Amino acid sequence: MTPRAVTPEHTAPRRTGKYAAVLAASALIAVPLLAGTASPAVADEGNTYLRTEQEVFDFINRSAPLNQKEAVKGYPVQGQDAQEIKLADVEKVYPHDQALADIPAALGSRFGLPPTIPTEGPDIRNSSRDDREPWLDNWDAKSMCGQPSHTPGGESQPCGFVGVLDKAYPVMQTSSSVMGKAQFSYKTGATVGQDTSRTSGWSVGGKVSGSLGLPGNPSPEINFTYSESTTTTNKWTTMTEQNNTYDVPDGVSGWVEGRANGGWYTGYHVYKLDFVDGNGDEKQKLVLIPARVLIQAPGNAVPMTFVKRQG
């Protein structure tokens, strides 16, 4: 079984770096270029509102295309779905046999299993909550990542994430709806920060704080975290704040959405364990743990796109 191609109609939420330019289009709010910030988005003339998820997908995909598959080297501390991810759900879109075949190319040769060492597994866990390692006093997966090898002279324990796209450009913030004919103004912006508390073996990622609201009366700030993939070539940078005015056509309900320039990927945390037991016997295995991770668009430097929607 191969993973299905992801299109907007396949990307409905289920339960659910850092940092130039975004392609100009009328649906995107213009952001001025200041020193040390991302390049501006330039709005077309006119007053275009997007009606469907397909239109939103097509628009953002031109400036922030996503790969169907992504991988993260290290443990993706940032951007994980907090809800339980079950193996049965992951298998529907990304069978573990396919993930095992993808791991060497996506994460590197360190995940190879030498034929000279007895191999157990693979150890496929039933859910994201089943992340404790029985070979090592029930350490969690994050603690396993980057630990020294139990084999004298061996490399540190490798870990990573492999997954397939299941939700492109998720909505992170929505303004109130305004019925036209009317004119309304909103203030937008986004800042990017990095978690500096990570240790060896943890992946790079960060936190985006977005603002969207009436000038002087902003809506509550939205925060989300994300990971950087192995294909990331352009880290997200901060977007400056900007006041924007919109005309809502007569008889139309209009609002603004802040969309992450990234996607949710469903797949597996993976780590390789090379272990010497109390009897001095060496053994090894690969562990796959169901997971869902928000990963930035690999070549785009702007964390969010603000689009005008029409209902």
Side-chain angles (χ1 to χ4, degrees), residues 195-213:
D195 182 353
T196 59
S197 64
R198 54 193 180 85
T199 62
S200 176
W202 294 13
S203 70
V204 176
K207 174 182 177 181
V208 174
S209 299
S211 60
L212 171 62

mmCIF file with all atom_site columns, all heavy atoms in Angstrom, residues 195-213:
data_model
loop_
_atom_site.group_PDB
_atom_site.id
_atom_site.type_symbol
_atom_site.label_atom_id
_atom_site.label_alt_id
_atom_site.label_comp_id
_atom_site.label_asym_id
_atom_site.label_entity_id
_atom_site.label_seq_id
_atom_site.pdbx_PDB_ins_code
_atom_site.Cartn_x
_atom_site.Cartn_y
_atom_site.Cartn_z
_atom_site.occupancy
_atom_site.B_iso_or_equiv
_atom_site.pdbx_formal_charge
_atom_site.auth_seq_id
_atom_site.auth_comp_id
_atom_site.auth_asym_id
_atom_site.auth_atom_id
_atom_site.pdbx_PDB_model_num
ATOM 1   N N   . ASP A 1 195 ? 13.196 27.461 20.662 1.00 0.00 ? 195 ASP A N   1
ATOM 2   C CA  . ASP A 1 195 ? 13.389 26.844 21.966 1.00 0.00 ? 195 ASP A CA  1
ATOM 3   C C   . ASP A 1 195 ? 14.874 26.544 22.125 1.00 0.00 ? 195 ASP A C   1
ATOM 4   O O   . ASP A 1 195 ? 15.428 25.709 21.415 1.00 0.00 ? 195 ASP A O   1
ATOM 5   C CB  . ASP A 1 195 ? 12.575 25.554 22.054 1.00 0.00 ? 195 ASP A CB  1
ATOM 6   C CG  . ASP A 1 195 ? 12.693 24.882 23.404 1.00 0.00 ? 195 ASP A CG  1
ATOM 7   O OD1 . ASP A 1 195 ? 13.504 25.335 24.223 1.00 0.00 ? 195 ASP A OD1 1
ATOM 8   O OD2 . ASP A 1 195 ? 11.973 23.903 23.635 1.00 0.00 ? 195 ASP A OD2 1
ATOM 9   N N   . THR A 1 196 ? 15.504 27.237 23.054 1.00 0.00 ? 196 THR A N   1
ATOM 10  C CA  . THR A 1 196 ? 16.952 27.072 23.221 1.00 0.00 ? 196 THR A CA  1
ATOM 11  C C   . THR A 1 196 ? 17.305 26.031 24.274 1.00 0.00 ? 196 THR A C   1
ATOM 12  O O   . THR A 1 196 ? 18.466 25.875 24.615 1.00 0.00 ? 196 THR A O   1
ATOM 13  C CB  . THR A 1 196 ? 17.581 28.418 23.617 1.00 0.00 ? 196 THR A CB  1
ATOM 14  O OG1 . THR A 1 196 ? 16.977 28.882 24.837 1.00 0.00 ? 196 THR A OG1 1
ATOM 15  C CG2 . THR A 1 196 ? 17.372 29.461 22.534 1.00 0.00 ? 196 THR A CG2 1
ATOM 16  N N   . SER A 1 197 ? 16.306 25.319 24.780 1.00 0.00 ? 197 SER A N   1
ATOM 17  C CA  . SER A 1 197 ? 16.565 24.361 25.856 1.00 0.00 ? 197 SER A CA  1
ATOM 18  C C   . SER A 1 197 ? 16.801 22.945 25.342 1.00 0.00 ? 197 SER A C   1
ATOM 19  O O   . SER A 1 197 ? 16.890 22.017 26.120 1.00 0.00 ? 197 SER A O   1
ATOM 20  C CB  . SER A 1 197 ? 15.379 24.344 26.828 1.00 0.00 ? 197 SER A CB  1
ATOM 21  O OG  . SER A 1 197 ? 14.205 23.876 26.178 1.00 0.00 ? 197 SER A OG  1
ATOM 22  N N   . ARG A 1 198 ? 16.901 22.790 24.040 1.00 0.00 ? 198 ARG A N   1
ATOM 23  C CA  . ARG A 1 198 ? 17.054 21.445 23.504 1.00 0.00 ? 198 ARG A CA  1
ATOM 24  C C   . ARG A 1 198 ? 18.463 20.898 23.777 1.00 0.00 ? 198 ARG A C   1
ATOM 25  O O   . ARG A 1 198 ? 19.415 21.647 23.941 1.00 0.00 ? 198 ARG A O   1
ATOM 26  C CB  . ARG A 1 198 ? 16.753 21.413 22.002 1.00 0.00 ? 198 ARG A CB  1
ATOM 27  C CG  . ARG A 1 198 ? 17.534 22.402 21.188 1.00 0.00 ? 198 ARG A CG  1
ATOM 28  C CD  . ARG A 1 198 ? 16.978 22.539 19.777 1.00 0.00 ? 198 ARG A CD  1
ATOM 29  N NE  . ARG A 1 198 ? 17.750 23.495 19.014 1.00 0.00 ? 198 ARG A NE  1
ATOM 30  C CZ  . ARG A 1 198 ? 18.856 23.202 18.366 1.00 0.00 ? 198 ARG A CZ  1
ATOM 31  N NH1 . ARG A 1 198 ? 19.320 21.964 18.393 1.00 0.00 ? 198 ARG A NH1 1
ATOM 32  N NH2 . ARG A 1 198 ? 19.506 24.120 17.696 1.00 0.00 ? 198 ARG A NH2 1
ATOM 33  N N   . THR A 1 199 ? 18.568 19.591 23.808 1.00 0.00 ? 199 THR A N   1
ATOM 34  C CA  . THR A 1 199 ? 19.847 18.940 24.048 1.00 0.00 ? 199 THR A CA  1
ATOM 35  C C   . THR A 1 199 ? 20.239 18.120 22.830 1.00 0.00 ? 199 THR A C   1
ATOM 36  O O   . THR A 1 199 ? 19.506 18.052 21.852 1.00 0.00 ? 199 THR A O   1
ATOM 37  C CB  . THR A 1 199 ? 19.756 18.015 25.279 1.00 0.00 ? 199 THR A CB  1
ATOM 38  O OG1 . THR A 1 199 ? 18.795 16.987 25.026 1.00 0.00 ? 199 THR A OG1 1
ATOM 39  C CG2 . THR A 1 199 ? 19.353 18.795 26.513 1.00 0.00 ? 199 THR A CG2 1
ATOM 40  N N   . SER A 1 200 ? 21.372 17.486 22.900 1.00 0.00 ? 200 SER A N   1
ATOM 41  C CA  . SER A 1 200 ? 21.859 16.681 21.789 1.00 0.00 ? 200 SER A CA  1
ATOM 42  C C   . SER A 1 200 ? 20.822 15.638 21.390 1.00 0.00 ? 200 SER A C   1
ATOM 43  O O   . SER A 1 200 ? 20.285 14.917 22.222 1.00 0.00 ? 200 SER A O   1
ATOM 44  C CB  . SER A 1 200 ? 23.160 15.980 22.185 1.00 0.00 ? 200 SER A CB  1
ATOM 45  O OG  . SER A 1 200 ? 23.600 15.119 21.163 1.00 0.00 ? 200 SER A OG  1
ATOM 46  N N   . GLY A 1 201 ? 20.548 15.567 20.108 1.00 0.00 ? 201 GLY A N   1
ATOM 47  C CA  . GLY A 1 201 ? 19.590 14.594 19.612 1.00 0.00 ? 201 GLY A CA  1
ATOM 48  C C   . GLY A 1 201 ? 18.216 15.153 19.365 1.00 0.00 ? 201 GLY A C   1
ATOM 49  O O   . GLY A 1 201 ? 17.414 14.521 18.693 1.00 0.00 ? 201 GLY A O   1
ATOM 50  N N   . TRP A 1 202 ? 17.912 16.312 19.890 1.00 0.00 ? 202 TRP A N   1
ATOM 51  C CA  . TRP A 1 202 ? 16.605 16.902 19.644 1.00 0.00 ? 202 TRP A CA  1
ATOM 52  C C   . TRP A 1 202 ? 16.632 17.692 18.347 1.00 0.00 ? 202 TRP A C   1
ATOM 53  O O   . TRP A 1 202 ? 17.633 18.288 17.988 1.00 0.00 ? 202 TRP A O   1
ATOM 54  C CB  . TRP A 1 202 ? 16.203 17.827 20.783 1.00 0.00 ? 202 TRP A CB  1
ATOM 55  C CG  . TRP A 1 202 ? 15.981 17.133 22.093 1.00 0.00 ? 202 TRP A CG  1
ATOM 56  C CD1 . TRP A 1 202 ? 16.322 15.849 22.423 1.00 0.00 ? 202 TRP A CD1 1
ATOM 57  C CD2 . TRP A 1 202 ? 15.388 17.682 23.248 1.00 0.00 ? 202 TRP A CD2 1
ATOM 58  N NE1 . TRP A 1 202 ? 15.978 15.578 23.714 1.00 0.00 ? 202 TRP A NE1 1
ATOM 59  C CE2 . TRP A 1 202 ? 15.392 16.687 24.254 1.00 0.00 ? 202 TRP A CE2 1
ATOM 60  C CE3 . TRP A 1 202 ? 14.836 18.920 23.560 1.00 0.00 ? 202 TRP A CE3 1
ATOM 61  C CZ2 . TRP A 1 202 ? 14.876 16.899 25.517 1.00 0.00 ? 202 TRP A CZ2 1
ATOM 62  C CZ3 . TRP A 1 202 ? 14.322 19.135 24.818 1.00 0.00 ? 202 TRP A CZ3 1
ATOM 63  C CH2 . TRP A 1 202 ? 14.335 18.130 25.788 1.00 0.00 ? 202 TRP A CH2 1
ATOM 64  N N   . SER A 1 203 ? 15.513 17.734 17.678 1.00 0.00 ? 203 SER A N   1
ATOM 65  C CA  . SER A 1 203 ? 15.460 18.425 16.400 1.00 0.00 ? 203 SER A CA  1
ATOM 66  C C   . SER A 1 203 ? 15.266 19.922 16.593 1.00 0.00 ? 203 SER A C   1
ATOM 67  O O   . SER A 1 203 ? 14.857 20.391 17.650 1.00 0.00 ? 203 SER A O   1
ATOM 68  C CB  . SER A 1 203 ? 14.310 17.882 15.554 1.00 0.00 ? 203 SER A CB  1
ATOM 69  O OG  . SER A 1 203 ? 13.067 18.262 16.106 1.00 0.00 ? 203 SER A OG  1
ATOM 70  N N   . VAL A 1 204 ? 15.549 20.668 15.533 1.00 0.00 ? 204 VAL A N   1
ATOM 71  C CA  . VAL A 1 204 ? 15.388 22.109 15.536 1.00 0.00 ? 204 VAL A CA  1
ATOM 72  C C   . VAL A 1 204 ? 13.932 22.441 15.227 1.00 0.00 ? 204 VAL A C   1
ATOM 73  O O   . VAL A 1 204 ? 13.300 21.832 14.382 1.00 0.00 ? 204 VAL A O   1
ATOM 74  C CB  . VAL A 1 204 ? 16.311 22.761 14.501 1.00 0.00 ? 204 VAL A CB  1
ATOM 75  C CG1 . VAL A 1 204 ? 16.077 24.260 14.431 1.00 0.00 ? 204 VAL A CG1 1
ATOM 76  C CG2 . VAL A 1 204 ? 17.775 22.473 14.847 1.00 0.00 ? 204 VAL A CG2 1
ATOM 77  N N   . GLY A 1 205 ? 13.421 23.417 15.905 1.00 0.00 ? 205 GLY A N   1
ATOM 78  C CA  . GLY A 1 205 ? 12.074 23.898 15.655 1.00 0.00 ? 205 GLY A CA  1
ATOM 79  C C   . GLY A 1 205 ? 11.878 25.207 16.366 1.00 0.00 ? 205 GLY A C   1
ATOM 80  O O   . GLY A 1 205 ? 12.836 25.826 16.833 1.00 0.00 ? 205 GLY A O   1
ATOM 81  N N   . GLY A 1 206 ? 10.667 25.656 16.487 1.00 0.00 ? 206 GLY A N   1
ATOM 82  C CA  . GLY A 1 206 ? 10.437 26.931 17.150 1.00 0.00 ? 206 GLY A CA  1
ATOM 83  C C   . GLY A 1 206 ? 8.976  27.178 17.416 1.00 0.00 ? 206 GLY A C   1
ATOM 84  O O   . GLY A 1 206 ? 8.134  26.301 17.277 1.00 0.00 ? 206 GLY A O   1
ATOM 85  N N   . LYS A 1 207 ? 8.685  28.400 17.796 1.00 0.00 ? 207 LYS A N   1
ATOM 86  C CA  . LYS A 1 207 ? 7.346  28.817 18.173 1.00 0.00 ? 207 LYS A CA  1
ATOM 87  C C   . LYS A 1 207 ? 6.971  30.060 17.387 1.00 0.00 ? 207 LYS A C   1
ATOM 88  O O   . LYS A 1 207 ? 7.760  30.993 17.265 1.00 0.00 ? 207 LYS A O   1
ATOM 89  C CB  . LYS A 1 207 ? 7.302  29.107 19.678 1.00 0.00 ? 207 LYS A CB  1
ATOM 90  C CG  . LYS A 1 207 ? 5.994  29.701 20.178 1.00 0.00 ? 207 LYS A CG  1
ATOM 91  C CD  . LYS A 1 207 ? 6.097  29.986 21.675 1.00 0.00 ? 207 LYS A CD  1
ATOM 92  C CE  . LYS A 1 207 ? 4.843  30.657 22.194 1.00 0.00 ? 207 LYS A CE  1
ATOM 93  N NZ  . LYS A 1 207 ? 4.934  30.958 23.643 1.00 0.00 ? 207 LYS A NZ  1
ATOM 94  N N   . VAL A 1 208 ? 5.758  30.067 16.865 1.00 0.00 ? 208 VAL A N   1
ATOM 95  C CA  . VAL A 1 208 ? 5.230  31.223 16.155 1.00 0.00 ? 208 VAL A CA  1
ATOM 96  C C   . VAL A 1 208 ? 4.120  31.836 16.991 1.00 0.00 ? 208 VAL A C   1
ATOM 97  O O   . VAL A 1 208 ? 3.224  31.133 17.464 1.00 0.00 ? 208 VAL A O   1
ATOM 98  C CB  . VAL A 1 208 ? 4.683  30.836 14.767 1.00 0.00 ? 208 VAL A CB  1
ATOM 99  C CG1 . VAL A 1 208 ? 3.999  32.033 14.109 1.00 0.00 ? 208 VAL A CG1 1
ATOM 100 C CG2 . VAL A 1 208 ? 5.800  30.314 13.880 1.00 0.00 ? 208 VAL A CG2 1
ATOM 101 N N   . SER A 1 209 ? 4.199  33.143 17.176 1.00 0.00 ? 209 SER A N   1
ATOM 102 C CA  . SER A 1 209 ? 3.137  33.894 17.838 1.00 0.00 ? 209 SER A CA  1
ATOM 103 C C   . SER A 1 209 ? 2.512  34.808 16.796 1.00 0.00 ? 209 SER A C   1
ATOM 104 O O   . SER A 1 209 ? 3.204  35.638 16.207 1.00 0.00 ? 209 SER A O   1
ATOM 105 C CB  . SER A 1 209 ? 3.690  34.722 18.999 1.00 0.00 ? 209 SER A CB  1
ATOM 106 O OG  . SER A 1 209 ? 4.270  33.876 19.974 1.00 0.00 ? 209 SER A OG  1
ATOM 107 N N   . GLY A 1 210 ? 1.217  34.637 16.557 1.00 0.00 ? 210 GLY A N   1
ATOM 108 C CA  . GLY A 1 210 ? 0.541  35.418 15.534 1.00 0.00 ? 210 GLY A CA  1
ATOM 109 C C   . GLY A 1 210 ? -0.498 36.335 16.140 1.00 0.00 ? 210 GLY A C   1
ATOM 110 O O   . GLY A 1 210 ? -1.138 36.002 17.137 1.00 0.00 ? 210 GLY A O   1
ATOM 111 N N   . SER A 1 211 ? -0.667 37.501 15.537 1.00 0.00 ? 211 SER A N   1
ATOM 112 C CA  . SER A 1 211 ? -1.682 38.442 15.981 1.00 0.00 ? 211 SER A CA  1
ATOM 113 C C   . SER A 1 211 ? -2.602 38.775 14.820 1.00 0.00 ? 211 SER A C   1
ATOM 114 O O   . SER A 1 211 ? -2.170 38.933 13.686 1.00 0.00 ? 211 SER A O   1
ATOM 115 C CB  . SER A 1 211 ? -1.047 39.718 16.529 1.00 0.00 ? 211 SER A CB  1
ATOM 116 O OG  . SER A 1 211 ? -0.265 40.364 15.539 1.00 0.00 ? 211 SER A OG  1
ATOM 117 N N   . LEU A 1 212 ? -3.893 38.856 15.124 1.00 0.00 ? 212 LEU A N   1
ATOM 118 C CA  . LEU A 1 212 ? -4.884 39.180 14.106 1.00 0.00 ? 212 LEU A CA  1
ATOM 119 C C   . LEU A 1 212 ? -6.076 39.789 14.823 1.00 0.00 ? 212 LEU A C   1
ATOM 120 O O   . LEU A 1 212 ? -6.764 39.109 15.592 1.00 0.00 ? 212 LEU A O   1
ATOM 121 C CB  . LEU A 1 212 ? -5.317 37.920 13.351 1.00 0.00 ? 212 LEU A CB  1
ATOM 122 C CG  . LEU A 1 212 ? -6.489 38.028 12.389 1.00 0.00 ? 212 LEU A CG  1
ATOM 123 C CD1 . LEU A 1 212 ? -6.171 39.003 11.260 1.00 0.00 ? 212 LEU A CD1 1
ATOM 124 C CD2 . LEU A 1 212 ? -6.828 36.657 11.816 1.00 0.00 ? 212 LEU A CD2 1
ATOM 125 N N   . GLY A 1 213 ? -6.323 41.058 14.627 1.00 0.00 ? 213 GLY A N   1
ATOM 126 C CA  . GLY A 1 213 ? -7.427 41.687 15.329 1.00 0.00 ? 213 GLY A CA  1
ATOM 127 C C   . GLY A 1 213 ? -7.592 43.127 14.935 1.00 0.00 ? 213 GLY A C   1
ATOM 128 O O   . GLY A 1 213 ? -6.830 43.673 14.144 1.00 0.00 ? 213 GLY A O   1
#
